[in-house]
Amino acid sequence: LPSFTGEVKCEAPNNKLDKFTGTLTLRGEKYALDNEKMLLRGCTIRNTDWCFGLVIYAGPDTKLMQNSGKTTFKRTSIDRLMNVLVLVIFAFLALMCLILAIGNGIWEHDKGYYFQVYLPWAEGVNSASYSGFLMFWSYVIILNTVVPISLYVSVEIIRLGNSFYIDWDRKMYYQVNDTPAQARTTTLNEELGQIKYIFSDKTGTLTQNIMCFNKCSINGKSYGDVYDMSGQRIEINENTEKVDFSYNQLADPKFAFYDHSLVEAVKLNDVPTHRFFRLLSLCHTVMPEEKKEGNLVYQAQSPDEGALVTAARNFGFVFRARTPETITVVEMGETKVYKLLAILDFNNVRKRMSVIVRSPEGELTLYCKGADTILYELLHSSCDSLKEETTEHLNEFAGEALRTLVVAYKNLDEDYFQDWIRRHHEASTALEGREEKLSELYEEIEKDLMLLGATAIEDKLQDGVPQTIETLAKANIKIWVLTGDKQETAMNIGYSCNLLNDDMEDVFIIEGHTSDDVLNELRNARKKMKPDSFLDSDEINIQFDKSSKKPKIIPDEQANGVYGLVITGHSLAYALEGNLEVELVRTACMCKVVICCRVTPLQKAQVVELVKKYKKAVTLAIGDGANDVSMIKTAHIGVGISGQEGMQAVLSSDFSFAQFRYLQRLLLVHGRWSYIRMCKFLKYFFYKNFAFTLVHFWYGFFSGFSAQASPASTVYDEWFITLYNLVYTSLPVLGMSLFDQDVDDRWSILFPQLYVPGQQNLYFNKIVFVKCMLQGIYSSLILFFIPYGAMYNTMRSDGKAIADYQSFALMAQTCLLIVVSVQIGLDTSYWTVVNQFFIWGSLSVYFAITFTMYSDGMYLIFTASFPFVGTARNTLGQPSVWLAIFLSITLCVLPVVGFRFLKAQLKPTPSDKVLLKINEAKKRPPPPSPKRRLRRTSTRRSGYAFSHQHGFGALIMSGRNMRPKSPFATTGTFSPNSDKYKHKGL
Amino acid sequence: MKNKMSFLPQEGEAHPSRCPDNSAFKQQKLPAWKPQLTIATVLSSFFVIGVFCLSVGVCLILSANSVREVQIDYSDKCSDCSKLRENSSNWNKECHCYVNFTLKEDILGDVFMYYGLQNFYQNHRRYVMSRSDAQLLGRNVNIQKSYCTPFTTYKNGTPMAPCGAIANSMFNDTIDLYYNLNSSVIQVPLLKTGNSWWTDKNVKFRNPKSYNLSSAFAGTARPLYWQKPVYLLDEQDERNTGYINDDFIIWMRVSAFATFRNLYRRVRRIRWFADGLPAGNYTFHISYNFPVSKFKGRKHVILSTVVWSGGSNPFLGIAYVVTGTAATLTGFVITAIHLKLRKKKTYFQK
């Protein structure tokens, strides 16, 4: 190998998964390299212990990584809104300063000029307008507390805290592989409460990627259901007794089956049953591996096939080994070697596969399995009655969203077969039209089949997936499934996890192969869902007629029913181009469910990008594999399932956990809480800073517009200004935004409608901000004018003057602090010990600090810093001061109480109603947790159980991939020539 | 919670499980009080607060009305003096003016005398900071470093004591009250100490220490507008002169607003005035020194009694009554709305 000197020329790294061109020059000879000779990153090579390969692309150049898209810095919509608001506040600040500066100019001109006897203008100031100009900047400094600098820090702390809750949640901890949920990004929490679109991968996310032989119908009898004494069907759960396969040494211990009658049938040597399992053990392309005697491992091209062969194995028909010419099966403990004469392989058109074998007894038999629609056409007329019974069973299986296959056999005539195999050989060596000739031959022999029965395989969903999807759907979240699987499989899963169901008006399938086809299909779908949307009067049409180049936000449209949409990868490629984008978005977003099948990783990201571009909605992508990385990175929030498929998805995700069902807790509980907490925090924060700062503004009108940042010249004591945001008000609001819950987690999940306000961005937006501002302005008016009125031209109860500046400052700041504390108490709906401690603590700290700072000792030591000596003692003893404080609180808070209550009474939002319902329900004893049984009434014939394109029957027959790996099998030897089969990896 | 624990694998020691702790804090299950805005709490708060405010308001108004107050604006009545003071070169000329008034009824109880200023911006930023607290504590400080400019030193470098715009502009009218009883004029005895805060008199203001006051202030000069140095503010009472002079202390406690009143004297309740001021004719003898006409300021002299809630300002009382009325009315409105809605709801439920 070190002497290998070759040269590979290939195309530049790109993201096309299905194309590769290059040449390998080795000792002067050129070999073509194409996609067939490539292995993509993340591929598993089965049945191969070692191979030579050459790395063509590495790291970020690999095709998969090229597909994964850029990592963008994610920010939440609240972040963006906050930035806008801060700018607005700056503008507001500038406006206030301008007003005050002009006021100062006028004042200095009218009054200050004449007041110079007692207060000469400052040095360098020679005109009123110049003084006004200086005052502008002074006020910028004074009023800058309205721009909340500590806001950003507090927001980050809250997000961090809420992320920790996700890490700590035991209900999102998956015990089986010891994985807790993980918030990998700590800046996106509140966005979790606003998700409108979920883009989900299928395999490994919705499903476990485990196929399970669940039911079967043999010769008109259905097996797999368990009945109790009275003939009632029993729900299968962990406690149901499993069938004991201990009589079979080679049984797979993991296999579980519950219907004992099938085992009985096998043990009673029921002929059709034996034939059924014999077929399952022979008709497949599975490779066995037996490294230790009795420890069989099957390598199947698709997990469905593996499930069928495993089922046969457990029922006593153990597929043990294969060579290119033989198949060794241990039938009920007896080893039999069948001669494998031909494999009539699977492809997408045929939708079936067959094998022709010669039994040790010399019988020639064709065994066939395939999709029911196809196979029913090929049956012999004698099994019509059996066909009916089986159809009934198939419908039943399909109703439970199982993947079905029909199996049939045919005994062959020796002479006919010899003739056929000769022609088959000719055809397979033909140079022209080999495919057509072969398929003709296959059709010829695969007819007049005898029906044996049907199998039903369950594509095992992850636990709780249907329930989760139902809950999320109730929360008005739209779920799009983006999968690389083919259409039938994808739709099948759609039905089994309750995404699609028969209650839907229609499920549109977009599979056009040209741009026009796709356009027509999309338009037809939309016409059916909302005929109005084609009228010229339609809002969106009007909007688009105005045609500017910029992508517009398309508002939500309401369809006239519940619809689903299935779109295939190649149609999607057209739909994602240029002008079709809008059509796709409009049509797809009207549907409740969208399934995109056979999509590439890049397309997944494009779909997410599309929705992000045209819809003002928050998107979430969830997936487990490397092929989901791109969409996880593109979506506003990426969730990785930390499952079997490696860490790729998790590493690029923002949140990760082990099971899909945790998504509902992440969104409905953590997301909702985070969102509500963040909104409450922002509302309160802006409110308190406005109330705080605007008092300066009003005071400006009474103090000659003269404020400037210097010791003791604002409304408050300068220390109060410093400590207000830092000490007095920071902890209560943090306490609220870390602990608040309007309803607990149980109710949040029980009433997913509570999630909707988050999606509509109702709790914090520009309007809410303006309301906060107005409330702040109102409070500041109260906070200034009540103390003003109470002190104006009056005196203390001992006759001394009351209206000195320091007393007024103390009174105003005490009012302010108590008012904002009461306000936070009003906002807090969940008073834990911590909240109590923070709120009462902050108030007591305020009084403690105030009295300390105003004490004699502090004044004598730091004379310049604490000029307020004695103010607290002298002022806070006055009854009129406390009466003014109480009045301010009442006037600030009582209207809020009344307004909130009346709003909930008169114009209740949907979530108000739900909260009311919850409150009523809380009074009653809690209802027994509803046993939700998902009843599927689907009469749809479900997809058949083949998941991939071509089988590798040809490979088996050629024997190229065979090695004597199975020393325990009783087969002959054959030459191991597979070493030649080299992989060009990448 | 507890039965959840039992699901956990017990081999925790060997393999530290990554399972999060089952603490109430981490699971967000801290016990909590969940107050809610129910009809009961809202209505009771409105009615209780309404009734409370109404009653407090009525009390406040009644007590404010019981205050007897005489307020006399003497800026016009002494226009001659006022004109004289407009020219600062007349600073050393004395000017007296007399203001008569009649009390129809006795003013019983403690009577306080205030001077009131209008349009005097004591709360102006540069005015408020123009003082040196350290100097007023009797410390020997370099007032150049203080905010006292431009009233820091004379041109020859002699520092002003006290320095700053506040001290410089100290109110220096002298007001005496005379009772005209049967054509004899009796001076009403007035107390000039005990009018300031204890903390100001004893903590915030101290005279520099020396064997006598004039030597303590040696090397300093009176403020520009003053007629006598600080240690001569009260020549009769040693504990009321220098920085600890009550009039000075009160002036130095600057007002929050441009219109304000400061306590000037208290009526000493002896002889005729043991019960307060008897009805009759009175005269204020005002030595007019403080010019205000230039900036359209006005000066008042006020006689007033006090009650528990302070002076005669009815603002708090009225505000309380209004608030109480509004709260009670809102309470009724809420009740009405609630009843109507409930009727509607039950109607629909049937």
Side-chain angles (χ1 to χ4, degrees), chain A residues 117 168 677 706 799 805 883, chain B residues 27-28 114 125 225 254 320:
Chain A
V117 200
W168 287 335
R677 287 167 186 173
S706 62
Y805 163 73
L883 285 175
Chain B
Q27 302 307 316
Q28 305 199 60
Y114 302 86
R125 188 247 334 153
Y225 291 4
V254 294
Y320 260 98

Side-chain angles (χ1 to χ4, degrees), chain B residues 128 195 227 254 269:
Chain B
V128 172
N195 299 336
Q227 284 140 333
V254 294
R269 291 172 67 175

Side-chain angles (χ1 to χ4, degrees), chain A residues 32-189:
Chain A
L33 299 179
D34 58 19
N35 204 36
E36 300 260 295
K37 300 189 175 69
M38 292 279 283
L39 282 181
L40 296 179
R41 173 182 174 153
C43 285
T44 316
I45 306 171
R46 287 185 168 156
N47 279 320
T48 312
D49 283 347
W50 57 275
C51 71
F52 293 120
L54 189 69
V55 176
I56 300 226
Y57 305 122
D61 288 344
T62 56
K63 283 181 180 275
L64 220 62
M65 291 310 282
Q66 292 275 314
N67 253 304
S68 63
K70 275 193 299 252
T71 308
T72 47
F73 178 65
K74 291 183 182 179
R75 279 163 59 205
T76 67
S77 54
I78 296 247
D79 264 333
R80 287 187 289 271
L81 180 62
M82 236 155 61
N83 291 344
V84 174
L85 293 183
V86 167
L87 287 181
V88 171
I89 292 174
F90 263 114
F92 185 69
L93 170 71
L95 179 72
M96 283 197 299
C97 294
L98 191 68
I99 292 173
L100 291 168
I102 292 171
N104 181 259
I106 296 170
W107 186 88
E108 292 287 357
H109 183 262
D110 282 0
K111 296 186 172 165
Y113 179 78
Y114 303 100
F115 196 58
Q116 287 198 64
V117 200
Y118 292 125
L119 185 65
W121 283 352
E123 255 175 83
V125 178
N126 42 26
S127 74
S129 50
Y130 183 59
S131 161
F133 172 76
L134 288 184
M135 231 21 97
F136 178 84
W137 298 108
S138 306
Y139 268 115
V140 167
I141 296 167
I142 287 264
L143 297 178
N144 74 39
T145 41
V146 81
V147 181
I149 295 168
S150 57
L151 176 73
Y152 286 92
V153 182
S154 310
V155 162
E156 291 308 316
I157 293 175
I158 292 165
R159 285 179 179 155
L160 186 69
N162 283 309
S163 305
F164 273 120
Y165 285 133
I166 293 173
D167 291 349
W168 287 335
D169 195 342
R170 285 166 74 91
K171 288 184 182 154
M172 283 163 63
Y173 165 76
Y174 191 53
Q175 209 192 311
V176 174
N177 46 19
D178 191 25
T179 330
Q182 214 186 347
R184 299 172 41 84
T185 313
T186 55
T187 53
L188 300 173
N189 302 52

Side-chain angles (χ1 to χ4, degrees), chain A residues 810-830:
Chain A
L810 178 70
M811 189 162 156
Q813 70 197 34
T814 309
C815 279
L816 171 75
L817 200 79
I818 298 181
V819 163
V820 294
S821 297
V822 172
Q823 180 70 39
I824 191 76
L826 198 64
D827 285 345
T828 306
S829 49
Y830 195 79

